[in-house]
Amino acid sequence: MAASSSSHQTHIPLPSDSGGNKPLDHEAQLSLVPIHVVTDASQLPAEFLNPTPDKQLIIGFDCEGVDLCRHGTLCIMQIAFPDAIFLVDATQGGEMLLKACKPALESSYITKVIHDCKRDSEALYFQFGIKLHNVFDTQIAYSLIEEQEGRTKLPDDYISFVGLLADPRYCGISYLEKEEVRLLLRQDSNFWTYRPLSELMIRAAADDVRFLLYIYHKMIKKLNQRSLWYLAVRSALYCRCFCTNDNNYADWPSIPPIPGNLVGDGNAPEEEILSVLGVPPGKMGRVIGRRGASILSIKESCNAEIFIGGSKGPPDKVFIIGPVKQVRKAEAILRGKMLEIY
């Protein structure tokens, strides 16, 4: 699938047929693949640029940038195939290059495997008009597998990508270089803007996607049909989460309906939704509470996920994802907090 010569290479783990929980280095075959730095769409595979139902793809996906959100700068988009990694250089290739990727990123024929898609989706939407679609979010999948296996998820207990890689059920490796990059980012937030890309930048960008297809295959074996539906719905809602607009997401792809085989088993899952609640000026402090105590208590009382824009924004909205009844419950409690007088 490689589209051009490359002097950079890395190893991609290939899924094993054993189906066990052994760490990656005990069971996976490592395939040496090229890393391509892409500045023009012609360097990308044709089957990616022109998705079709008879050539469906599964890719690892991530984005890097400066303060990645609607107002930040998307610098690199990483795409992992089983036989190559492509670093799409948005800084050099500009809007034309990203627009060429739009059909693939919005296609239902290409599954995008990504860890926590919310801010990446927001950046793509507001900076390039791309509505990220058909996402397999490994952060959501991890939580669903934990629930399947009888473990209770606590509020704000989200697995980090480093934590996921360290879990022996999925990879069982340490990602020490990630800490090195985080330190550099704290020292210089413009790290991903510099060109030409350094060896460290290329290696770090590739490392963020080269394990994703392996993790996908490990997870897909564990997820039951009910969890797969929840994953599809929640991944779609995560993609929308911070992408607020004036038409209530009418131009986004529809949310997957509850499959018939889950409706007929007498224990049908409840529809899940995203609610965006506006917070009046000066009221966000009441919603959050001292040291986050108020918002934490709301999360503990509702079976719904609640996100606040924080420093990246939007600063005046609360985002709630979950079953309809739980979302309405959270809305009511939040509105009550806004009315409290101290």
Side-chain angles (χ1 to χ4, degrees):
M1 190 177 291
S4 62
S5 62
S6 172
S7 60
H8 306 286
Q9 293 179 311
T10 191
H11 287 94
I12 286 183
L14 301 177
S16 165
D17 293 329
S18 66
N21 288 325
K22 295 179 181 178
L24 181 150
D25 57 353
H26 284 87
E27 69 168 11
Q29 294 180 319
L30 296 176
S31 176
L32 186 63
V33 304
I35 305 172
H36 301 288
V37 178
V38 176
T39 57
D40 186 272
S42 62
Q43 297 170 275
L44 288 165
E47 55 265 48
F48 172 77
L49 294 173
N50 303 290
T52 60
D54 58 340
K55 187 66 175 179
Q56 300 195 31
L57 304 173
I58 301 170
I59 61 171
F61 183 76
D62 191 27
C63 298
E64 308 292 351
V66 180
D67 199 24
L68 202 60
C69 63
R70 70 184 65 197
H71 303 301
T73 304
L74 193 156
C75 300
I76 299 173
M77 190 171 70
Q78 306 107 287
I79 304 167
F81 292 87
D83 58 359
I85 290 177
F86 296 85
L87 306 183
V88 179
D89 190 341
T91 300
Q92 295 284 81
E95 186 173 0
M96 184 176 294
L97 175 57
L98 268 292
K99 291 290 188 181
C101 298
K102 179 180 170 75
L105 299 182
E106 295 186 344
S107 174
S108 59
Y109 305 135
I110 300 180
T111 301
K112 279 69 70 172
V113 184
I114 182 173
H115 190 82
D116 190 6
C117 65
K118 295 189 294 296
R119 291 298 185 184
D120 296 53
S121 179
E122 180 187 17
L124 289 166
Y125 180 67
F126 284 104
Q127 295 177 38
F128 300 101
I130 295 170
K131 295 182 281 289
L132 190 61
H133 177 55
N134 194 22
V135 160
F136 182 107
D137 194 307
T138 55
Q139 188 177 74
I140 301 171
Y142 182 92
S143 293
L144 288 167
I145 293 169
E146 292 293 284
E147 291 175 19
Q148 273 185 202
E149 297 178 353
R151 287 178 282 275
T152 303
K153 181 180 177 297
L154 300 173
D156 294 334
D157 183 21
Y158 299 101
I159 188 75
S160 68
F161 186 54
V162 173
L164 178 61
L165 289 178
D167 191 319
R169 294 172 296 173
Y170 302 107
C171 274
I173 62 168
S174 60
Y175 191 179
L176 298 178
E177 194 165 80
K178 186 74 170 179
E179 295 304 318
E180 180 183 353
V181 173
R182 283 177 176 169
L183 177 61
L184 291 171
L185 284 169
R186 285 194 292 268
Q187 295 170 345
D188 183 358
S189 61
N190 292 316
F191 174 80
W192 290 110
T193 67
Y194 300 124
R195 297 296 181 273
L197 294 170
S198 68
E199 286 291 334
L200 174 61
M201 294 168 77
I202 290 173
R203 194 166 63 248
D207 280 349
D208 276 355
V209 292
R210 71 186 180 102
F211 300 103
L212 285 171
L213 295 180
Y214 180 80
I215 292 170
Y216 166 84
H217 286 288
K218 299 284 277 190
M219 287 182 158
I220 205 73
K221 292 177 182 179
K222 295 175 178 287
L223 291 159
N224 60 32
Q225 289 300 308
R226 189 182 187 91
S227 291
L228 283 169
W229 176 76
Y230 277 126
L231 174 62
V233 170
R234 290 176 191 173
S235 292
L237 295 175
Y238 264 44
C239 284
R240 296 181 180 203
C241 185
F242 295 128
C243 301
T244 51
N245 58 24
D246 296 327
N247 63 5
N248 196 31
Y249 304 102
D251 56 337
W252 283 70
S254 58
I255 301 298
I258 301 174
N261 63 322
L262 296 182
V263 174
D265 67 1
N267 188 28
E270 187 179 353
E271 176 191 2
E272 299 215 341
I273 61 171
L274 163 66
S275 173
V276 182
L277 193 63
V279 180
K283 302 290 187 179
M284 187 60 80
R286 296 181 184 178
V287 168
I288 297 173
R290 181 173 296 180
R291 296 182 180 177
S294 178
I295 192 69
L296 179 60
S297 69
I298 299 171
K299 291 176 180 180
E300 290 173 340
S301 64
C302 302
N303 184 25
E305 297 183 90
I306 303 174
F307 303 104
I308 293 173
S311 60
K312 292 186 177 182
D316 60 345
K317 290 180 174 60
V318 177
F319 303 85
I320 313 166
I321 293 175
V324 176
K325 291 179 181 177
Q326 296 299 317
V327 169
R328 300 303 179 221
K329 179 181 177 181
E331 288 176 338
I333 298 173
L334 285 163
R335 289 193 175 98
K337 290 289 181 184
M338 296 176 206
L339 295 174
E340 287 179 1
I341 300 175
Y342 293 96

